[in-house]
Amino acid sequence: MSATPVKLDAEGFLVDGGQWTREVAEALAGEERVSLTPTHWKVIDFVREEYAQQHASPGLRRISLGSGVGMKDLYALFPRTPGKSAARIAGVPKPKSCL
Amino acid sequence: MKSFVVLGAGTGGTTIANRMRRRLDDSWNVTVVDPDPIHLYQPALLFIPFGGRTDGAIAHHRARTLRRGIDWIQHEVEGVDPAARRVSLAGGMTLGYDLLVIATGARLRPDLTPGLPQAMARGEAYDFYTLPGAKGLARALDRFKGGRLVLNVVEMPIKCPVAPLEFLFLADDFLRRRGLREKTELVYATPLDAAFTRPVAAERLGHMLEDRGIRVETSFSTGEVDADHRTLRSYDEREVPYDLLVSIPTHGGASFLEGTPLGNELAFVPTDRATLQVKGAAGAFALGDATDVPASKAGSVAHFQAEVLEENLVRAVRGDEPLPLFDGHANCFVESGGGKAMMIDFNYDVEPLPGHLGPFPLLRESRINHLGKLAFRPVYWNALLPGRPLPLPHAVLERRDTA
């Protein structure tokens, strides 16, 4: 584990996305009792690529289409709130609207 | 002759075509492609379900909205070949371009949600993002005698992201005036994790749904509409029954963009969020709802983008590189019912904050905001679309006091 503590906001998202590492992702996933498999990483990599392109987190349907992981499977991989949970583990902000 | 081609003549396409016709000399042709003869003032759609006007004030013939000297081709686009700088149109016609703007907007995709088209066909589900949908919903609300009225956003992004909240506020007001509010359960099923996703808005406005007794079903990712049982079912198998469903279906880009390098998974155009250049297509730009930039899909955004895109197109004509001019600026009136509205003003980096924008209070309900929203329609037809100066802030969000 990294010795540098990462800062999280009230909802558990990284305050500074620059602090994200694969180890940090493992730790954030661990907090949600998710153990990261290659399929999780396909999703996380897509979310990170998207965020790097446009500085916005993709919605669930785009995550599904872009990563090739089915909607139901996303719920199995990231229980309860997959869009939010995948964003948190990927070290990017949660999907938002304008209000 | 050199050729400037605009695909789509909605708010963004019409504005940029009109602005560029003024800026380009006679050595340039300006051509707009749009198959639809009618230009609809989309902000009017929100009011139609509650008895708002549907006459000629909200829809003009497209020919009236385009400046003299612009050629309008009334055809569907079938494809763009960015390497050859060529657009192909239905009927086998092709159109070469030196500069291209893709402004083909967003379209509703109810077909992506199993059961939703069937529920719509039965007259138990409506959208209010199309004229037929909004008119159908007006008739359904007129017949409505109480029960479960459910508003469902299937997936983000959507056009006018505040419209779901506005619809709920107006529906609450409408039902109260009809004496039906006590007999109606008003439910908002959203894929986001809250009705207000931004901290300042949540803190200041979070009470608005609670005060009105509107129930919010959060993180609801709609898997299907079970039309036989009048029930929405999410991918995690939660159920929301309805008597009348108001659906905001998944949005996607124009069909000719699907499965091409010019469309992402939902057929929105991969676009640089600051220069508005289409990625991987020399001489091509995009604006408005058609793009994948993380700004709101809203008329104000298309308008602010047109202001900066005009500069970048003029630079392109001179052979200069485009500048990162667009900052994500949006401002919107948000109807809150009872003849009041709020206003919000924000960009990529600045959250909607309280304060004032001219006479309009920000992030707070007031009568003047509602009047401002109503007064905007003639401004849209007479100043915004022709590209004349507007009584509005500029493309780039101004710093202001937040007192």
Side-chain angles (χ1 to χ4, degrees):
Chain A
M1 283 296 291
S2 157
T4 320
V6 296
K7 265 176 96 174
L8 302 178
D9 69 13
E11 291 187 274
F13 285 74
L14 282 184
V15 172
D16 173 9
Q19 287 195 311
W20 187 89
T21 62
R22 292 176 85 84
E23 290 72 32
V24 168
E26 300 276 4
L28 292 171
E31 286 179 6
E32 300 188 24
R33 299 187 182 176
V34 170
S35 165
L36 298 179
T37 65
T39 316
H40 286 96
W41 280 109
K42 253 180 25 188
V43 174
I44 294 166
D45 289 341
F46 175 76
V47 170
R48 287 189 61 78
E49 275 166 36
E50 273 297 303
Y51 191 79
Q53 289 281 323
Q54 291 295 32
H55 307 278
S57 304
L60 203 56
R61 187 176 290 269
R62 280 210 60 218
I63 294 178
S64 175
L65 293 168
S67 66
V69 178
M71 291 287 276
K72 288 239 178 215
D73 296 332
L74 286 172
Y75 276 91
L77 292 168
F78 301 95
R80 289 185 301 283
T81 55
K84 193 174 169 184
S85 169
R88 192 177 96 89
I89 295 168
V92 305
K94 69 179 184 181
K96 284 181 196 160
S97 186
C98 58
L99 266 179
Chain B
M1 285 293 270
K2 284 170 284 190
S3 175
F4 173 58
V5 174
V6 179
L7 306 182
T11 307
T14 302
T15 306
I16 197 64
N18 286 335
R19 284 171 171 267
M20 290 309 290
R21 184 60 288 177
R22 273 193 315 206
R23 294 294 292 269
L24 295 170
D25 62 28
D26 291 344
S27 67
W28 284 82
N29 279 325
V30 177
T31 307
V32 169
V33 183
D34 196 305
D36 190 340
I38 299 298
H39 185 127
L40 183 66
Y41 178 62
Q42 294 187 62
L45 291 169
L46 172 70
F47 298 101
I48 292 174
F50 311 106
R53 65 197 299 171
T54 56
D55 60 8
I58 69 159
H60 285 186
H61 196 275
R62 188 140 274 136
R64 273 178 73 186
T65 65
L66 296 166
R67 266 175 198 279
R68 207 178 309 159
I70 295 175
D71 296 319
W72 168 34
I73 298 181
Q74 204 182 332
H75 275 292
E76 291 276 358
V77 177
E78 287 200 331
V80 175
D81 179 346
R85 294 203 185 193
R86 198 168 50 216
V87 178
S88 50
L89 305 176
M93 194 174 155
T94 62
L95 202 57
Y97 63 83
D98 295 284
L99 286 172
L100 177 74
V101 171
I102 302 176
T104 37
R107 65 193 173 114
L108 303 189
R109 298 293 310 273
D111 55 301
L112 296 179
T113 301
L116 181 53
Q118 289 80 353
M120 287 177 152
R122 288 183 188 189
E124 291 162 2
Y126 296 88
D127 74 83
F128 63 94
Y129 277 56
T130 61
L131 197 50
K135 285 179 173 176
L137 182 53
R139 289 191 291 273
L141 279 172
D142 195 43
R143 292 191 301 264
F144 190 70
K145 297 283 179 266
R148 291 177 62 93
L149 176 56
V150 175
L151 175 72
N152 176 223
V153 175
V154 176
E155 178 65 290
M156 300 296 287
I158 58 171
K159 295 199 271 189
C160 190
V162 294
L165 292 169
E166 295 183 284
F167 182 88
L168 290 162
F169 297 148
L170 292 177
D172 173 75
D173 186 27
F174 173 87
L175 293 166
R176 274 178 211 288
R177 282 188 280 113
R178 294 207 153 196
L180 292 170
R181 188 62 187 91
E182 298 302 313
K183 295 179 198 158
T184 306
E185 191 175 0
L186 203 46
V187 182
Y188 177 28
T190 168
L192 296 168
D193 72 334
F196 296 98
T197 52
R198 297 190 181 258
V200 179
E203 189 196 313
R204 295 181 69 96
L205 310 175
H207 63 91
M208 290 182 75
L209 291 159
E210 214 169 288
D211 292 350
R212 290 162 172 81
I214 296 167
R215 188 161 79 73
V216 186
E217 192 76 40
T218 57
S219 300
F220 189 90
S221 203
T222 309
E224 63 168 342
V225 178
D226 180 345
D228 289 336
H229 298 94
R230 294 191 190 178
T231 297
L232 289 179
R233 205 163 286 125
S234 65
Y235 282 101
D236 55 345
E237 285 165 17
R238 279 182 283 156
E239 292 191 340
V240 174
Y242 62 83
D243 293 297
L244 178 57
L245 173 63
V246 181
S247 176
I248 303 180
T250 304
H251 285 38
S255 57
F256 75 88
L257 298 165
E258 270 173 33
T260 78
L262 297 182
N264 73 10
E265 292 81 4
L266 292 172
F268 292 118
V269 181
T271 306
D272 185 287
R273 69 185 216 142
T275 65
L276 303 178
Q277 280 173 296
V278 175
K279 292 176 183 171
F285 294 80
L287 89 166
D289 297 346
T291 79
D292 76 336
V293 305
S296 295
K297 295 195 182 299
S300 66
V301 171
H303 163 240
F304 294 137
Q305 286 177 334
E307 272 188 35
V308 301
L309 183 53
E310 178 181 337
E311 291 317 308
N312 273 343
L313 287 165
V314 169
R315 292 180 64 82
V317 168
R318 289 199 304 253
D320 294 334
E321 286 298 309
L323 296 173
L325 296 170
F326 183 60
D327 71 350
H329 190 193
N331 65 42
C332 311
F333 291 109
V334 184
E335 283 296 308
S336 55
K340 291 184 179 177
M342 300 181 286
M343 189 183 218
I344 54 173
D345 192 53
F346 58 100
N347 70 11
Y348 288 141
D349 302 315
V350 180
E351 300 251 336
L353 291 171
H356 274 81
L357 190 69
F360 303 114
L362 292 163
L363 223 51
R364 183 159 62 75
E365 288 181 83
S366 86
R367 177 83 180 146
I368 191 170
N369 286 336
H370 171 68
L371 297 174
K373 179 149 182 154
L374 296 185
F376 193 71
R377 181 169 32 81
V379 176
Y380 179 84
W381 294 121
N382 299 319
L384 189 149
L385 290 183
R388 296 196 183 101
L390 247 65
L392 264 189
H394 267 294
V396 174
L397 187 131
E398 286 168 49
R399 298 180 68 86
R400 59 176 179 265
D401 295 332
T402 57

